[in-house]
Amino acid sequence: MTYKRVVLTSGFAMFSMFFGSGNLVFPLIIGKETLDVSVYGTLGLISTAVIVPFLGLFGMILYNGDTRAYFNKLGKIPAFLLTLMMLSLMGPFGVVPRCITVAYGGLNVLYPDMSFMWFSLGFCALVTLLIWKSNRVVDVIGLVLTPFKLGGLLLLLLIGLYYAPPVTSTTISSSAGFFTGLHLGYQTMDLMAAFFFSATTVAYLRQNLHKGDGGAILFRISLYSLLIGAALLAIAYIGFVALGAYYAPDLVGVKPESLLVAIADKTLGALALPIVGYTMAVACLATAVILTILFVDFLYLEILKGKIGEKAAIFITIGTTFAISLLGFSKICSVLGEVLEITYPALIGLAIGNILAATTKIDLSRYAFWSILVLNIAYKYVY
């Protein structure tokens, strides 16, 4: 496989891994809430959902995709607990169940009598099927799922923006719009994902190195992949925030997980709803697959220490995912929001600290993480 194809595949896979459930919903909410100051909302979103996550990715590339070395700067026990928390929230206790609810929101319009419980069971079964041989996951996501997703999203964006009505005015300030985007960008959880997606991507790139190529080549193609993923993500966010702003009057009273379908119905008509519905489902499936693999690996290798089989770890993870998905989109987001409000700024401090440590040998990672975390807890619960 040529390096050009490897870079494109991994870049598309990065985008597809990131652009899942929350990424299909929160940009639309930002546009809906910020209206004619949505440009500032977009800037806030890009800050926390593109720039910050890809700082994390860049830092992980500097550490060769080694999550253990990256987090052990906090100490072995804190690193283990932090990793467990992040993978749990991104996996069966948060993002993967949220993926199921958003996928259901996209398809429920097509199949209004479909039971959520049975849909969730089917989704979980499909994830299990796809991760049974995890060594092929980047190829499956990058070469199969991503083109389908990009085609559907691009169709909706082009037609939706072409026929968009004028944006209505809002009473909120540009700074309020920026902080709306900044805050909802936390909910995408892309920085947490970046720490672990990079390990998967670097491992994939390392497997495809030509014989005799060293670390410099690996760093370069990793960086190119990162830039492709970041560019695609930023373009998607700009377009989806704009859609939310333009079609805000048509989104009043619509559930968050069904916003995209409502816009599709308005712009493309009922005949195009299957394209959008299945695009949403595929987008959520791609993210759910990689996040489930990450948690299963951690559960099997780090928690259970191989005491049970890897397949048993898969069933434990999938069972938990199914149970949590029954809470519904709003409840899951509410719980995630509480945790992220405290931890996300501290993780940003860790990401910046680790980049400085790798490039300048000035190691402030531990200080940055703990000081920000303590200040956040004090601000939220004391003051």
Side-chain angles (χ1 to χ4, degrees):
M1 189 183 292
T2 64
Y3 280 152
K4 184 179 291 187
R5 187 183 178 194
V6 169
V7 167
L8 285 173
T9 299
S10 56
F12 284 144
M14 279 189 190
F15 167 77
S16 198
M17 289 172 189
F18 278 116
F19 207 81
S21 59
N23 313 77
L24 286 167
V25 175
F26 296 117
L28 298 174
I29 295 175
I30 291 167
K32 177 185 173 186
E33 293 184 0
T34 57
L35 298 175
D36 61 339
V37 296
S38 63
V39 171
Y40 298 96
T42 304
L43 291 175
L45 177 64
I46 288 176
S47 298
T48 50
V50 179
I51 295 174
V52 165
F54 281 90
L55 277 178
L57 273 174
F58 179 68
M60 284 298 302
I61 290 171
L62 292 174
Y63 283 79
N64 237 347
D66 187 345
T67 53
R68 191 184 298 274
Y70 192 92
F71 291 113
N72 274 356
K73 288 183 171 293
L74 300 175
K76 287 188 177 181
I77 294 177
F80 174 83
L81 294 175
L82 180 63
T83 303
L84 174 60
M85 182 207 74
M86 289 190 293
L87 289 177
S88 297
L89 291 178
M90 291 190 301
F93 292 95
V95 176
V96 178
R98 189 174 71 184
C99 285
I100 297 174
T101 64
V102 174
Y104 178 79
L107 293 176
N108 185 230
V109 176
L110 302 174
Y111 311 105
D113 296 327
M114 179 171 55
S115 160
F116 176 76
M117 185 184 74
W118 286 108
F119 174 83
S120 181
L121 278 173
F123 191 100
C124 289
L126 185 55
V127 170
T128 303
L129 204 63
L130 288 171
I131 68 174
W132 209 250
K133 290 190 176 181
S134 60
N135 62 312
R136 296 290 297 166
V137 71
V138 173
D139 282 331
V140 171
I141 292 174
L143 296 176
V144 181
L145 297 185
T146 299
F148 181 89
K149 178 197 295 190
L150 282 176
L153 295 179
L154 187 61
L155 175 68
L156 177 59
L157 280 174
L158 291 177
I159 295 179
L161 294 176
Y162 183 80
Y163 290 105
V167 178
T168 54
S169 299
T170 182
T171 56
I172 69 171
S173 64
S174 55
S175 60
F178 176 81
F179 283 108
T180 296
L182 197 75
H183 179 72
L184 286 177
Y186 288 166
Q187 285 271 10
T188 65
M189 300 177 68
D190 285 345
L191 176 57
M192 290 185 183
F195 295 137
F196 302 98
F197 288 172
S198 58
T200 301
T201 306
V202 169
Y204 171 78
L205 293 172
R206 189 181 288 115
Q207 288 172 5
N208 287 280
L209 283 178
H210 297 158
K211 190 174 181 179
D213 287 342
I217 295 293
L218 178 62
F219 179 80
R220 189 165 76 238
I221 63 175
S222 297
L223 194 59
Y224 289 156
S225 301
L226 183 155
L227 292 174
I228 290 171
L232 289 172
L233 201 58
I235 291 168
Y237 283 148
I238 291 168
F240 275 82
V241 172
L243 281 180
Y246 285 127
Y247 293 95
D250 300 301
L251 303 179
V252 177
V254 177
K255 292 181 179 179
E257 60 268 36
S258 299
L259 291 175
L260 190 59
V261 176
I263 293 173
D265 187 34
K266 181 71 176 178
T267 57
L268 301 176
L271 292 178
L273 283 181
I275 297 174
V276 177
Y278 281 105
T279 297
M280 289 179 66
V282 167
C284 292
L285 180 64
T287 300
V289 164
I290 189 65
L291 290 177
T292 301
I293 287 174
L294 290 173
F295 185 83
V296 166
D297 287 346
F298 188 77
L299 177 64
Y300 174 65
L301 297 172
E302 302 295 333
I303 298 176
L304 300 174
K305 304 289 186 181
K307 292 177 182 177
I308 65 170
E310 186 177 7
K311 304 310 180 187
I314 290 175
F315 287 121
I316 291 171
T317 303
I318 293 295
T320 306
T321 298
F322 170 72
I324 298 297
S325 73
L326 300 180
L327 294 174
F329 180 87
S330 297
K331 182 64 175 177
I332 294 170
C333 287
S334 175
V335 174
L336 288 175
E338 287 292 314
V339 178
L340 294 172
E341 194 174 337
I342 296 171
T343 58
Y344 214 82
L347 290 171
I348 294 172
L350 176 65
I352 295 171
N354 276 351
I355 290 174
L356 287 174
T359 56
T360 68
K361 308 305 179 184
I362 300 173
D363 194 350
L364 300 174
S365 304
R366 183 178 300 189
Y367 173 79
F369 177 82
W370 290 115
S371 59
I372 295 173
L373 185 66
V374 169
L375 286 172
N376 259 357
I377 292 173
Y379 178 77
K380 184 172 178 63
Y381 294 109
V382 178
Y383 300 105

